[in-house]
Amino acid sequence: MKKLTTGKIWQFAVGQFGWSMLSGLISNWLVYFYQPDDVAVSQGQTLFIPQGLVVLGLFTVIGAITAFGRIFDAFTDPMIASLSDRCRSKNGRRIPFMKWASLPLALSTVLVFWSPVHGSSPVNVVFLFLMVMAYYLSMTAYCTPYNALIPELGHTQKDRLNISTVISFTFIAGTAVAYLAPSIWGIFVPAFGRINAIRLTFSVIAAAALICMLVPVFCIKEKDYVNTVPTDDTAFRSLAATFKNKEFRKFVGSDIFYWIAITMFQTGLPFFVTSLLKLPESMTTIYFVGMTAVSLIFYIPINKLTEKVGKKKLMLIAFAVFCCAYLYSGFLGKITGISPVIQGIILTVGAALPMAIFGILPQAVVADIARSDAKLTGSNREGMFYAARTFAFKLGQSISMLLFTAVSTIGRSAGTGYRLTAFIAAILCFIGGVIFILYDEKKISRMINQ
């Protein structure tokens, strides 16, 4: 088998740059587009779905749709993972799925924001529901096989850490592009109006993402680097066997709480800027790009430090710093003696370190667990490990969307709900860190090195 060169690692990582742009559009702007605050409405944002309608007496329409979408996505993950693990294509087990999922993923992302009726209508609700389901299914069909390639392409712990570092960089870069959207659509607003400007911006980003997602498909010959035997397990048996791994259960339990917290923070960031700090929505872009730039400073030190102190210690530090950042977010706009702009900068700098750590290390942890499990059981179920992890964090995202869209409506004009979401995120992040203390990293390393 060939050793993956640095150039091939970057070609592989470009795929993540592509899908992370699309993921960023949905995670950062879906709620903002369909459940806008007063600032966005005053700037011409159209209301496409009923704003006062509550599902099951608690959840908003957009909250229910996005939560159901992530639950649907979570349950399709094991199915796609099983099909990928069992695939016997001459082109490998992963690349064929990535090839055929790319276009549907890019197209469905754009259509999510393309309501057929201009104005609030039940037709838009149905259309949004269908497009969100198509988006999540396509995302699963691309990302689950893509992530499964990490432990397969990386033949050593160092290789897997390097791959995780590079794809973390492209993930953050892709998400940053999604956060640039307001600056881009602001250019188009005079000519096309706010709604069409937003849709044009998202279409351009999606087209670029499609090209990026196809780079690893055509540049990497999977069978040159991967020598694994397709598994014969059914989806249920493979998923059950995956969750029998004790250390993986600990990681997943922690990961659920992390994703609830981070999703609430990311979804709330545009509202923190406009409603709490009373700054223009374009400042969201500046803060996130700044956060990204600062986090990149930590990438090489984290990569080097991981070899000395281990992944677990660094991730626990990240949990602690994120808790403080989320707690601080709840007080934005209320801190006397510090201007709103500076308050935002403090948050940007404070969240950068844990953002870098969680961008790199969790993928590497799963890769290590999958590799150690393969040595122990003799079964190559890398796809199912990543699907199981994805199942868990999407469950966390679903809970987060339900919580955020419900809690954020409390005292909306005063921003009370947005502050509550920040405090809840801090508590949940703390719980995730406590669970991760139980993870036995030394045990996994011993199994890999046997």
Side-chain angles (χ1 to χ4, degrees):
M1 290 292 100
K2 292 182 179 179
K3 178 177 173 58
L4 203 67
T5 64
T6 301
K8 288 296 179 182
I9 290 177
W10 278 102
Q11 289 174 357
F12 176 69
V14 170
Q16 179 135 324
F17 179 63
W19 73 254
S20 65
M21 283 192 277
L22 302 178
S23 174
L25 292 180
I26 298 297
S27 62
N28 299 330
W29 302 113
L30 181 61
V31 175
Y32 192 76
F33 187 84
Y34 283 106
Q35 191 175 301
D37 59 11
D38 295 337
V39 175
V41 172
S42 68
Q43 294 176 349
Q45 180 66 40
T46 302
L47 300 178
F48 290 101
I49 61 176
Q51 301 295 296
L53 184 62
V54 178
V55 180
L56 299 178
L58 179 61
F59 308 118
T60 64
V61 172
I62 187 63
I65 289 176
T66 52
F68 184 86
R70 283 189 168 94
I71 293 173
F72 167 78
D73 185 27
F75 280 98
T76 59
D77 276 325
M79 178 187 71
I80 297 296
S82 179
L83 290 173
S84 180
D85 283 343
R86 291 185 290 165
C87 181
R88 298 181 183 276
S89 169
K90 65 179 181 179
N91 296 319
R93 297 194 295 172
R94 318 301 182 189
I95 294 295
F97 283 85
M98 294 162 56
K99 178 180 179 180
W100 295 110
S102 299
L103 179 59
L105 176 53
L107 185 60
S108 61
T109 301
V110 174
L111 291 178
V112 161
F113 299 94
W114 217 283
S115 299
V117 178
H118 189 75
S120 182
S121 170
V123 174
N124 291 338
V125 175
V126 174
F127 183 82
L128 176 61
F129 175 81
L130 294 175
M131 289 305 102
V132 168
M133 297 307 110
Y135 162 80
Y136 281 120
L137 179 60
S138 302
M139 180 65 79
T140 296
Y142 187 91
C143 292
T144 297
Y146 180 91
N147 288 328
L149 279 173
I150 298 172
E152 294 177 339
L153 294 174
H155 300 152
T156 66
Q157 287 198 57
K158 177 62 176 177
D159 288 342
R160 292 190 289 273
L161 179 60
N162 288 339
I163 293 172
S164 296
T165 301
V166 175
I167 65 173
S168 172
F169 170 81
T170 53
F171 176 81
I172 290 179
T175 307
V177 171
Y179 262 109
L180 282 170
S183 298
I184 300 173
W185 78 54
I187 299 173
F188 297 136
V189 167
F192 299 98
R194 180 181 173 87
I195 299 302
N196 288 332
I198 292 175
R199 289 171 175 168
L200 176 59
T201 298
F202 290 173
S203 298
V204 171
I205 292 175
L210 173 61
I211 295 172
C212 292
M213 288 189 292
L214 290 173
V215 168
V217 170
F218 292 107
C219 292
I220 296 177
K221 293 183 179 180
E222 183 179 336
K223 290 203 169 183
D224 286 350
Y225 303 93
V226 179
N227 183 25
T228 56
V229 179
T231 180
D232 293 323
D233 287 345
T234 64
F236 178 78
R237 286 205 305 266
S238 182
L239 183 63
T242 299
F243 274 106
K244 284 183 179 178
N245 189 301
K246 184 177 179 181
E247 301 310 315
F248 183 67
R249 292 200 305 271
K250 296 174 185 175
F251 170 81
V252 165
S254 169
D255 211 35
I256 290 175
F257 285 95
Y258 163 74
W259 279 103
I260 298 175
I262 190 65
T263 303
M264 293 185 76
F265 175 72
Q266 289 179 332
T267 305
L269 186 56
F271 300 103
F272 298 160
V273 172
T274 59
S275 294
L276 302 187
L277 293 176
K278 307 298 182 183
L279 297 172
E281 65 181 8
S282 59
M283 288 298 293
T284 301
T285 299
I286 295 174
Y287 286 140
F288 189 84
V289 171
M291 191 185 306
T292 302
V294 175
S295 70
L296 294 179
I297 297 174
F298 297 110
Y299 267 53
I300 294 178
I302 289 171
N303 188 291
K304 300 296 183 183
L305 198 58
T306 299
E307 298 180 37
K308 297 181 180 180
V309 304
K311 303 176 185 71
K312 180 178 177 178
K313 289 181 180 178
L314 288 177
M315 287 181 63
L316 288 175
I317 291 172
F319 269 114
V321 177
F322 254 151
C323 284
C324 295
Y326 298 155
L327 187 64
Y328 169 78
S329 299
F331 294 100
L332 290 174
K334 295 288 187 180
I335 304 172
T336 58
I338 303 177
S339 71
V341 173
I342 298 300
Q343 290 180 43
I345 292 175
I346 293 173
L347 177 62
T348 295
V349 175
L353 174 62
M355 182 179 179
I357 292 174
F358 276 111
I360 298 171
L361 299 187
Q363 294 280 50
V365 169
V366 177
D368 288 346
I369 294 174
R371 182 57 63 189
S372 68
D373 189 83
K375 282 198 170 187
L376 180 65
T377 64
S379 180
N380 295 295
R381 290 179 285 104
E382 291 86 357
M384 191 56 73
F385 269 99
Y386 279 95
R389 191 247 172 158
T390 304
F391 176 94
F393 84 63
K394 286 174 182 174
L395 178 62
Q397 288 178 324
S398 301
I399 297 171
S400 176
M401 294 305 293
L402 290 173
L403 283 173
F404 183 88
T405 54
V407 174
S408 64
T409 59
I410 300 173
R412 180 172 170 177
S413 60
T416 303
Y418 300 135
R419 299 186 190 281
L420 288 175
T421 61
F423 296 144
I424 292 172
I427 294 171
L428 295 173
C429 189
F430 176 78
I431 295 173
V434 170
I435 295 174
F436 193 67
I437 292 175
L438 303 176
Y439 173 67
D440 192 343
E441 183 179 32
K442 293 181 179 179
K443 176 183 176 181
I444 295 298
S445 296
R446 286 196 303 270
M447 294 173 65
I448 293 175
N449 295 325
Q450 283 180 351

